């Protein structure tokens, strides 16, 4: 069992729910844009948000941003220990640092003193691309190097009597990421922030993240997740939640099923399924929705779902709770299905 760390009103580790994180892409000093992006992330289901802190103006912005958001905020800091201290004093609920690039132990000690005072946890974020020289000389850029670097960094904090630590070990290589977290999980009880870094654009990044994060979660490893995509951060949250839903870790929200279509399908199911899925993103209900192409598997899936359609000849049968409700002509499928779902 992992140790439990408190982040604002949430907990990471122990038997707490696996949380979904994202990071804003706005300039943190632009309070209005940052708050508006965080609000969109909240609506998409984001549990924890991280912002980049590049200077003291960004620290002051945290104070203002916090007033207008409802989820815990993490300040992401590199190099300058004063920004970490200033972020905590301005209300950050957690900070992410890489102790290796903060400098002397004295500086880390100063951060730890304030983090203790404000009861703010620290994520030690190790990235395979920025491992310290002495570790690379000993282990190369390997899984062992990532794990030992994290343990070494965490030990700096532990030696200062600070234990509210979350660890991440990110590599853009999926296999290396899985191996590193698996080894870390065996060696320590730190809650793990899991993700594949620099995963790529929406398409490739979703695949890499789903394999990396999904494989680890399936083994019971991972306390909080972040999908990294070169895309709107809302896509990161949606992907993270789908990963959790696919594994049955998060049971709330709509579960969407659609068939791949084949020669039996007589409606434009690809377009219909795409439109339905798009519209479902704004609906918050705990139901299964099935969009099926024909009467072979269609009625079965549509019946087992809470609501669904099974395509016919330029039309579809609408099912609700196992019963046929009516026929819908092809052009009205999306509209009428969504209307029925909204009534549920
Ligand atoms: Fe083909 Fe029908 Fe199965 Fe869809 S439900 S893949 S259209 S057989």
């Amino acid at each position: 069992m992992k140790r439990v760390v408190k982040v604002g009103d949430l907990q990471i580790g122990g038997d707490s729910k696996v949380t979904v994180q994202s990071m804003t892409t706005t300039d943190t000093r632009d309070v209005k844009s940052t708050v508006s992006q965080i609000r969109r992330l909240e609506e998409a289901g984001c549990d924890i948000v991280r912002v980049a802190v590049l200077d003291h103006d960004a620290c002051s912005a945290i104070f203002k941003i916090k007033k207008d958001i409802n989820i815990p905020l993490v300040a992401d800091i590199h190099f300058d220990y004063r920004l970490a201290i200033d972020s905590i004093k301005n209300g950050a609920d957690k900070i992410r640092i890489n102790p290796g690039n903060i400098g002397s132990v004295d500086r880390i000690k100063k951060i730890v003193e304030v983090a203790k005072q404000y009861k703010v946890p620290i994520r030690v974020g190790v990235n395979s691309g920025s491992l310290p020289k002495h570790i690379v000389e000993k282990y190369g850029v390997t899984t062992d190097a990532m794990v030992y670097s994290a343990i070494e960094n965490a030990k700096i904090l532990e030696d200062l009597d600070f234990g509210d630590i979350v660890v991440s070990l990110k590599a853009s290589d999926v296999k290396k990421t899985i191996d590193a977290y698996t080894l870390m999980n065996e060696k320590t009880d730190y809650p793990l922030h899991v993700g594949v870094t620099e995963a790529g654009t929406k398409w490739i990044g979703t695949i890499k993240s789903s394999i990396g994060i999904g494989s680890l979660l399936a083994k019971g490893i991972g306390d909080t997740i972040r999908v990294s995509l070169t895309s709107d951060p809302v896509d990161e949250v949606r992907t993270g939640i789908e990963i959790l839903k696919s594994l049955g870790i998060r049971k709330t929200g709509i579960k969407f099923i659609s068939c791949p279509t084949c020669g039996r399908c007589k409606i434009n199911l690809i377009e219909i399924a795409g439109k339905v899925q798009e519209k479902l993103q704004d609906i918050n209900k705990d139901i299964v929705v099935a969009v099926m192409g024909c009467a072979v598997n269609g009625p079965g899936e549509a019946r087992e779902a809470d609501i669904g359609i099974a395509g016919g000849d330029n039309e579809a049968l609408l099912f609700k709770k196992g019963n046929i409700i009516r026929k819908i002509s092809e052009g009205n499928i999306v509209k009428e299905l969504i209307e029925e779902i909204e009534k549920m």
Side-chain angles (χ1 to χ4, degrees), residues 20-22 41 44-46 227 233-242:
V20 175
Q21 306 203 16
S22 186
L41 291 169
C46 184
V227 173
V234 166
D235 292 329
E236 299 187 343
V237 173
R238 286 181 175 154
T239 307
I241 290 172
E242 280 305 319

Side-chain angles (χ1 to χ4, degrees), residues 310-329:
D313 233 339
N314 302 319
E315 62 183 16
L317 283 177
L318 174 71
F319 292 82
K320 213 170 182 179
K321 301 280 180 202
N323 302 309
I324 296 175
I325 303 291
R326 63 176 182 274
K327 276 185 184 169
I328 308 175
S329 63

Side-chain angles (χ1 to χ4, degrees), residues 258-266 269 291-299 301 310-311:
S258 63
C259 83
T261 86
C262 69
R264 292 181 193 89
C265 186
K266 300 221 164 40
L269 194 81
V291 173
M292 305 296 290
C294 81
V296 174
N297 293 319
E301 287 287 1

